[in-house]
Amino acid sequence: MLINTKKSLSLRIVVYVLTFCVFLFILLLSVFYISSKSKIEKATLTNAQLRTNNVVLDAERILLSVTRIVDNYKWIIENENISREEIYALTRRMVENNSDILGAAVAFEPFFFEKEGQYFAPYSYREKDSIKTIQLGNPEYDYFYMDWYQIPMVTQKTCWTDPYFDTGGGNALITTYSTPFFRTINNERKPAGVITVDLPLDWFTEIVSSVRVLETGYASVLSPSGTFITHPNKDLIMNQSIFSYAEELGNAELREIGRQIQKTESGLVPSTLKGVERRLYYKRLPSSGWTMAIIFPVSEMYQPLRSISIVLIILVVTGLLLLSLIVSRIIKKQIAPLKFFADSARIIAGGNFTSKLPEITSEDELKDLHDSFEYVQHKLSDYIENLKQTTSAKEKIESELRIAREIQMGMIPKIFPPFPNLREIDLYATLQPAKEVGGDLYDFFMIGEEHLCFAIGDVSGKGVPASLFMAVTRTLLRSVAPDQKSPAAIVNSLNRSLSTNNDSNMFVTFFLGIVELKTGKMTYANAGHNPPVLIGPSGEAEFFEFAKNIPVGVFEEFNYEERERHLQKGDKIFLYTDGVTEAENSQDELYSENRLLKCLQENSHLDPRSMICKVTEDVASHVKGNPQSDDMTMLSIVHFGIHG
């Protein structure tokens, strides 16, 4: 059973549209989420700061009013000589006139009043709806060692004590504001005692407890030593400090926060308490040194944003599903004619160029497609007719080129060894045209019974003109050489014949040599061709020396010079055209004469056929499949010396 894996055009368009919409939605949602998250965080922190500042201001208002009251009465006690009875009345008046105060005391140094003895500390306090006044000091309540008394006397500065439960008079959880007062005795100003005001903390607890940030955020107040003054967990109040609580939880981060709160007046720090990431904003109350902190979970800040994001995602997914359904139906209706065009295209591809096309009445791209198909039908009909004629002509030309190649290749010797009865010499040659026909040539033949004539040439240009010029050159060589034994004379005769009426300005580089087999004497003439290589019996290789002659067919009256060389037994001659040394690889690097010389030296022991095969393989290794750009011709001759 075949499964159709093709995806329809309408489906692909819907997928592209939905992909873009999804990408756009993700981008917009990300921008919205990041922007909203930043704004929510900023708004939440601002709210926490405002709430904290409001509570601090409310607390400071009450605390400062208390300090002003104490300062006023302190002036009276220091500057007026009031009696013990007036001091009792003074403490009572302080409580009566200030509803925020739970109690007030004026505690003197030991034996300040001799008649009163060691303790004299009149204290007035509220009890239900009445105000009572007592003598606070006694052996059971030795106030000289209480913080509210000892700290201001030692430091001679005002202070707020840590909250404590007063069992001496007020019987309530209070904090005490204490300030030392002084008297002049014997013209010397000395500390005489402490004026204190007890402030109940219920009002402060109520203010702090009313602070709510998000759902579970809460506020707490710490004393300068880090003791919890207020906290939603009642067990912590006055029983633990932030440091002992951190030790109990094993939370080093909370301990560090406690140190930071003691060092700085305000700040915002992250914290992780009981595995929940939180933010903590704190601010110190200037007058008392207490610190108020608001703590809230980070996750609750973004809960509304997450809810909105989920709703948006649901709405967008629903919208995308509806959009895909609507777009799919619209696209299918619009591109339905394309199937008819596809069927028509198959019929046209089968050769029926008169296939009927679907009717298109709308003036849009489908109409343009209909007109294009109709145009293609007419053009294909004309093209096929022209192609038939062109193919016929091309086949005729290719056939003629094949015949020309066969004729050309038939003109050069191809039987090896060519002279089996001549043991003094052996040779081998190859010709590889770059096209169907080429302009390279080689030839060898006997002049008489004792002289071997051999030649190699390269016609300028390629293709049919070069092959015709090569055929003429080879024919002239065969007609001129039998009557001559001088290479220069033969080349001069060829030059005069080829230069005459040479309207095409073609020429041929040409090397011709004649070897006298019995003596090894070799005469040669070079008409602008690549220098052949002489390889000695020991493997050394060198290029031939020759006069600088121009190619054949350029100037009719040019006289060519010849040179002479004596071949030793075992000497080898290697002739080639520039298609060998100028063979290029894909990096446009030439094979080069140096590499040819190296290859010949490495294979100097081989016979002519094997030597040419090795050079051919080395050239192929260099070009690595790069197309051949010029004809390649090689001719190798070995001289074995005289045999009896």
mmCIF file with all atom_site columns, all heavy atoms in Angstrom, residues 37 62 199 271 291 325 351 373 438-439 442 487 536 546 555:
data_model
loop_
_atom_site.group_PDB
_atom_site.id
_atom_site.type_symbol
_atom_site.label_atom_id
_atom_site.label_alt_id
_atom_site.label_comp_id
_atom_site.label_asym_id
_atom_site.label_entity_id
_atom_site.label_seq_id
_atom_site.pdbx_PDB_ins_code
_atom_site.Cartn_x
_atom_site.Cartn_y
_atom_site.Cartn_z
_atom_site.occupancy
_atom_site.B_iso_or_equiv
_atom_site.pdbx_formal_charge
_atom_site.auth_seq_id
_atom_site.auth_comp_id
_atom_site.auth_asym_id
_atom_site.auth_atom_id
_atom_site.pdbx_PDB_model_num
ATOM 1   N N   . LYS A 1 37  ? 6.323   42.308 34.079  1.00 0.00 ? 37  LYS A N   1
ATOM 2   C CA  . LYS A 1 37  ? 7.024   41.782 35.243  1.00 0.00 ? 37  LYS A CA  1
ATOM 3   C C   . LYS A 1 37  ? 7.847   42.863 35.911  1.00 0.00 ? 37  LYS A C   1
ATOM 4   O O   . LYS A 1 37  ? 7.853   43.002 37.146  1.00 0.00 ? 37  LYS A O   1
ATOM 5   C CB  . LYS A 1 37  ? 7.931   40.626 34.807  1.00 0.00 ? 37  LYS A CB  1
ATOM 6   C CG  . LYS A 1 37  ? 8.651   39.936 35.952  1.00 0.00 ? 37  LYS A CG  1
ATOM 7   C CD  . LYS A 1 37  ? 9.479   38.774 35.421  1.00 0.00 ? 37  LYS A CD  1
ATOM 8   C CE  . LYS A 1 37  ? 10.234  38.081 36.553  1.00 0.00 ? 37  LYS A CE  1
ATOM 9   N NZ  . LYS A 1 37  ? 11.073  36.974 36.057  1.00 0.00 ? 37  LYS A NZ  1
ATOM 10  N N   . ILE A 1 62  ? 4.361   59.207 67.484  1.00 0.00 ? 62  ILE A N   1
ATOM 11  C CA  . ILE A 1 62  ? 4.064   58.887 68.885  1.00 0.00 ? 62  ILE A CA  1
ATOM 12  C C   . ILE A 1 62  ? 5.331   58.915 69.727  1.00 0.00 ? 62  ILE A C   1
ATOM 13  O O   . ILE A 1 62  ? 5.367   59.477 70.836  1.00 0.00 ? 62  ILE A O   1
ATOM 14  C CB  . ILE A 1 62  ? 3.363   57.517 68.972  1.00 0.00 ? 62  ILE A CB  1
ATOM 15  C CG1 . ILE A 1 62  ? 2.011   57.570 68.252  1.00 0.00 ? 62  ILE A CG1 1
ATOM 16  C CG2 . ILE A 1 62  ? 3.197   57.078 70.416  1.00 0.00 ? 62  ILE A CG2 1
ATOM 17  C CD1 . ILE A 1 62  ? 1.300   56.238 68.181  1.00 0.00 ? 62  ILE A CD1 1
ATOM 18  N N   . LEU A 1 199 ? 5.924   52.943 77.494  1.00 0.00 ? 199 LEU A N   1
ATOM 19  C CA  . LEU A 1 199 ? 5.004   53.012 76.357  1.00 0.00 ? 199 LEU A CA  1
ATOM 20  C C   . LEU A 1 199 ? 4.530   51.604 76.040  1.00 0.00 ? 199 LEU A C   1
ATOM 21  O O   . LEU A 1 199 ? 5.343   50.713 75.767  1.00 0.00 ? 199 LEU A O   1
ATOM 22  C CB  . LEU A 1 199 ? 5.733   53.611 75.138  1.00 0.00 ? 199 LEU A CB  1
ATOM 23  C CG  . LEU A 1 199 ? 4.856   54.163 74.021  1.00 0.00 ? 199 LEU A CG  1
ATOM 24  C CD1 . LEU A 1 199 ? 4.030   55.346 74.532  1.00 0.00 ? 199 LEU A CD1 1
ATOM 25  C CD2 . LEU A 1 199 ? 5.729   54.603 72.851  1.00 0.00 ? 199 LEU A CD2 1
ATOM 26  N N   . SER A 1 271 ? 15.954  37.105 49.871  1.00 0.00 ? 271 SER A N   1
ATOM 27  C CA  . SER A 1 271 ? 16.152  36.078 50.894  1.00 0.00 ? 271 SER A CA  1
ATOM 28  C C   . SER A 1 271 ? 15.384  34.828 50.501  1.00 0.00 ? 271 SER A C   1
ATOM 29  O O   . SER A 1 271 ? 14.425  34.881 49.739  1.00 0.00 ? 271 SER A O   1
ATOM 30  C CB  . SER A 1 271 ? 15.678  36.573 52.269  1.00 0.00 ? 271 SER A CB  1
ATOM 31  O OG  . SER A 1 271 ? 14.263  36.735 52.279  1.00 0.00 ? 271 SER A OG  1
ATOM 32  N N   . THR A 1 291 ? 13.899  48.516 63.845  1.00 0.00 ? 291 THR A N   1
ATOM 33  C CA  . THR A 1 291 ? 13.858  48.365 62.381  1.00 0.00 ? 291 THR A CA  1
ATOM 34  C C   . THR A 1 291 ? 12.586  47.642 61.985  1.00 0.00 ? 291 THR A C   1
ATOM 35  O O   . THR A 1 291 ? 12.274  46.570 62.525  1.00 0.00 ? 291 THR A O   1
ATOM 36  C CB  . THR A 1 291 ? 15.068  47.570 61.873  1.00 0.00 ? 291 THR A CB  1
ATOM 37  O OG1 . THR A 1 291 ? 16.261  48.275 62.205  1.00 0.00 ? 291 THR A OG1 1
ATOM 38  C CG2 . THR A 1 291 ? 15.002  47.407 60.355  1.00 0.00 ? 291 THR A CG2 1
ATOM 39  N N   . LEU A 1 325 ? -8.470  27.057 10.290  1.00 0.00 ? 325 LEU A N   1
ATOM 40  C CA  . LEU A 1 325 ? -9.630  26.471 9.607   1.00 0.00 ? 325 LEU A CA  1
ATOM 41  C C   . LEU A 1 325 ? -10.136 27.402 8.513   1.00 0.00 ? 325 LEU A C   1
ATOM 42  O O   . LEU A 1 325 ? -10.375 26.976 7.362   1.00 0.00 ? 325 LEU A O   1
ATOM 43  C CB  . LEU A 1 325 ? -10.728 26.185 10.639  1.00 0.00 ? 325 LEU A CB  1
ATOM 44  C CG  . LEU A 1 325 ? -12.031 25.587 10.086  1.00 0.00 ? 325 LEU A CG  1
ATOM 45  C CD1 . LEU A 1 325 ? -11.761 24.218 9.468   1.00 0.00 ? 325 LEU A CD1 1
ATOM 46  C CD2 . LEU A 1 325 ? -13.075 25.466 11.196  1.00 0.00 ? 325 LEU A CD2 1
ATOM 47  N N   . GLY A 1 351 ? 3.834   15.273 -24.468 1.00 0.00 ? 351 GLY A N   1
ATOM 48  C CA  . GLY A 1 351 ? 3.946   15.573 -25.897 1.00 0.00 ? 351 GLY A CA  1
ATOM 49  C C   . GLY A 1 351 ? 2.696   16.128 -26.524 1.00 0.00 ? 351 GLY A C   1
ATOM 50  O O   . GLY A 1 351 ? 2.712   16.525 -27.702 1.00 0.00 ? 351 GLY A O   1
ATOM 51  N N   . PHE A 1 373 ? 0.771   29.310 -19.526 1.00 0.00 ? 373 PHE A N   1
ATOM 52  C CA  . PHE A 1 373 ? 0.670   27.932 -20.013 1.00 0.00 ? 373 PHE A CA  1
ATOM 53  C C   . PHE A 1 373 ? 0.335   27.916 -21.503 1.00 0.00 ? 373 PHE A C   1
ATOM 54  O O   . PHE A 1 373 ? 0.886   27.113 -22.276 1.00 0.00 ? 373 PHE A O   1
ATOM 55  C CB  . PHE A 1 373 ? -0.392  27.174 -19.210 1.00 0.00 ? 373 PHE A CB  1
ATOM 56  C CG  . PHE A 1 373 ? 0.172   26.337 -18.106 1.00 0.00 ? 373 PHE A CG  1
ATOM 57  C CD1 . PHE A 1 373 ? 0.402   26.872 -16.858 1.00 0.00 ? 373 PHE A CD1 1
ATOM 58  C CD2 . PHE A 1 373 ? 0.483   25.013 -18.307 1.00 0.00 ? 373 PHE A CD2 1
ATOM 59  C CE1 . PHE A 1 373 ? 0.921   26.117 -15.832 1.00 0.00 ? 373 PHE A CE1 1
ATOM 60  C CE2 . PHE A 1 373 ? 1.002   24.239 -17.294 1.00 0.00 ? 373 PHE A CE2 1
ATOM 61  C CZ  . PHE A 1 373 ? 1.226   24.782 -16.045 1.00 0.00 ? 373 PHE A CZ  1
ATOM 62  N N   . GLY A 1 438 ? 41.918  17.232 -33.348 1.00 0.00 ? 438 GLY A N   1
ATOM 63  C CA  . GLY A 1 438 ? 42.881  18.136 -32.763 1.00 0.00 ? 438 GLY A CA  1
ATOM 64  C C   . GLY A 1 438 ? 43.946  18.559 -33.737 1.00 0.00 ? 438 GLY A C   1
ATOM 65  O O   . GLY A 1 438 ? 43.945  18.176 -34.915 1.00 0.00 ? 438 GLY A O   1
ATOM 66  N N   . GLY A 1 439 ? 44.892  19.346 -33.222 1.00 0.00 ? 439 GLY A N   1
ATOM 67  C CA  . GLY A 1 439 ? 45.946  19.891 -34.073 1.00 0.00 ? 439 GLY A CA  1
ATOM 68  C C   . GLY A 1 439 ? 47.314  19.333 -33.790 1.00 0.00 ? 439 GLY A C   1
ATOM 69  O O   . GLY A 1 439 ? 48.284  19.805 -34.374 1.00 0.00 ? 439 GLY A O   1
ATOM 70  N N   . TYR A 1 442 ? 52.244  13.528 -34.779 1.00 0.00 ? 442 TYR A N   1
ATOM 71  C CA  . TYR A 1 442 ? 53.555  12.896 -34.687 1.00 0.00 ? 442 TYR A CA  1
ATOM 72  C C   . TYR A 1 442 ? 53.690  11.972 -35.894 1.00 0.00 ? 442 TYR A C   1
ATOM 73  O O   . TYR A 1 442 ? 52.694  11.545 -36.496 1.00 0.00 ? 442 TYR A O   1
ATOM 74  C CB  . TYR A 1 442 ? 53.740  12.137 -33.369 1.00 0.00 ? 442 TYR A CB  1
ATOM 75  C CG  . TYR A 1 442 ? 52.904  10.881 -33.254 1.00 0.00 ? 442 TYR A CG  1
ATOM 76  C CD1 . TYR A 1 442 ? 53.349  9.664  -33.810 1.00 0.00 ? 442 TYR A CD1 1
ATOM 77  C CD2 . TYR A 1 442 ? 51.687  10.891 -32.594 1.00 0.00 ? 442 TYR A CD2 1
ATOM 78  C CE1 . TYR A 1 442 ? 52.582  8.511  -33.705 1.00 0.00 ? 442 TYR A CE1 1
ATOM 79  C CE2 . TYR A 1 442 ? 50.921  9.749  -32.485 1.00 0.00 ? 442 TYR A CE2 1
ATOM 80  C CZ  . TYR A 1 442 ? 51.368  8.554  -33.040 1.00 0.00 ? 442 TYR A CZ  1
ATOM 81  O OH  . TYR A 1 442 ? 50.608  7.418  -32.940 1.00 0.00 ? 442 TYR A OH  1
ATOM 82  N N   . PRO A 1 487 ? 67.437  17.734 -41.680 1.00 0.00 ? 487 PRO A N   1
ATOM 83  C CA  . PRO A 1 487 ? 66.232  18.237 -41.010 1.00 0.00 ? 487 PRO A CA  1
ATOM 84  C C   . PRO A 1 487 ? 65.950  19.693 -41.330 1.00 0.00 ? 487 PRO A C   1
ATOM 85  O O   . PRO A 1 487 ? 64.797  20.073 -41.516 1.00 0.00 ? 487 PRO A O   1
ATOM 86  C CB  . PRO A 1 487 ? 66.557  18.052 -39.522 1.00 0.00 ? 487 PRO A CB  1
ATOM 87  C CG  . PRO A 1 487 ? 67.553  16.944 -39.491 1.00 0.00 ? 487 PRO A CG  1
ATOM 88  C CD  . PRO A 1 487 ? 68.384  17.097 -40.731 1.00 0.00 ? 487 PRO A CD  1
ATOM 89  N N   . GLY A 1 536 ? 69.835  9.573  -20.381 1.00 0.00 ? 536 GLY A N   1
ATOM 90  C CA  . GLY A 1 536 ? 70.989  8.709  -20.525 1.00 0.00 ? 536 GLY A CA  1
ATOM 91  C C   . GLY A 1 536 ? 70.783  7.345  -19.899 1.00 0.00 ? 536 GLY A C   1
ATOM 92  O O   . GLY A 1 536 ? 69.812  7.100  -19.170 1.00 0.00 ? 536 GLY A O   1
ATOM 93  N N   . PHE A 1 546 ? 69.068  23.763 -28.730 1.00 0.00 ? 546 PHE A N   1
ATOM 94  C CA  . PHE A 1 546 ? 68.775  24.011 -30.141 1.00 0.00 ? 546 PHE A CA  1
ATOM 95  C C   . PHE A 1 546 ? 68.714  25.504 -30.364 1.00 0.00 ? 546 PHE A C   1
ATOM 96  O O   . PHE A 1 546 ? 68.577  26.307 -29.436 1.00 0.00 ? 546 PHE A O   1
ATOM 97  C CB  . PHE A 1 546 ? 67.463  23.352 -30.584 1.00 0.00 ? 546 PHE A CB  1
ATOM 98  C CG  . PHE A 1 546 ? 66.314  23.646 -29.671 1.00 0.00 ? 546 PHE A CG  1
ATOM 99  C CD1 . PHE A 1 546 ? 65.588  24.822 -29.779 1.00 0.00 ? 546 PHE A CD1 1
ATOM 100 C CD2 . PHE A 1 546 ? 65.954  22.741 -28.674 1.00 0.00 ? 546 PHE A CD2 1
ATOM 101 C CE1 . PHE A 1 546 ? 64.544  25.079 -28.939 1.00 0.00 ? 546 PHE A CE1 1
ATOM 102 C CE2 . PHE A 1 546 ? 64.909  23.009 -27.826 1.00 0.00 ? 546 PHE A CE2 1
ATOM 103 C CZ  . PHE A 1 546 ? 64.192  24.190 -27.956 1.00 0.00 ? 546 PHE A CZ  1
ATOM 104 N N   . PHE A 1 555 ? 56.830  32.931 -41.498 1.00 0.00 ? 555 PHE A N   1
ATOM 105 C CA  . PHE A 1 555 ? 57.530  33.707 -42.525 1.00 0.00 ? 555 PHE A CA  1
ATOM 106 C C   . PHE A 1 555 ? 58.077  32.758 -43.583 1.00 0.00 ? 555 PHE A C   1
ATOM 107 O O   . PHE A 1 555 ? 58.820  31.804 -43.268 1.00 0.00 ? 555 PHE A O   1
ATOM 108 C CB  . PHE A 1 555 ? 58.683  34.513 -41.907 1.00 0.00 ? 555 PHE A CB  1
ATOM 109 C CG  . PHE A 1 555 ? 58.209  35.550 -40.917 1.00 0.00 ? 555 PHE A CG  1
ATOM 110 C CD1 . PHE A 1 555 ? 58.574  35.468 -39.588 1.00 0.00 ? 555 PHE A CD1 1
ATOM 111 C CD2 . PHE A 1 555 ? 57.395  36.599 -41.330 1.00 0.00 ? 555 PHE A CD2 1
ATOM 112 C CE1 . PHE A 1 555 ? 58.141  36.413 -38.684 1.00 0.00 ? 555 PHE A CE1 1
ATOM 113 C CE2 . PHE A 1 555 ? 56.967  37.553 -40.420 1.00 0.00 ? 555 PHE A CE2 1
ATOM 114 C CZ  . PHE A 1 555 ? 57.333  37.463 -39.096 1.00 0.00 ? 555 PHE A CZ  1
#
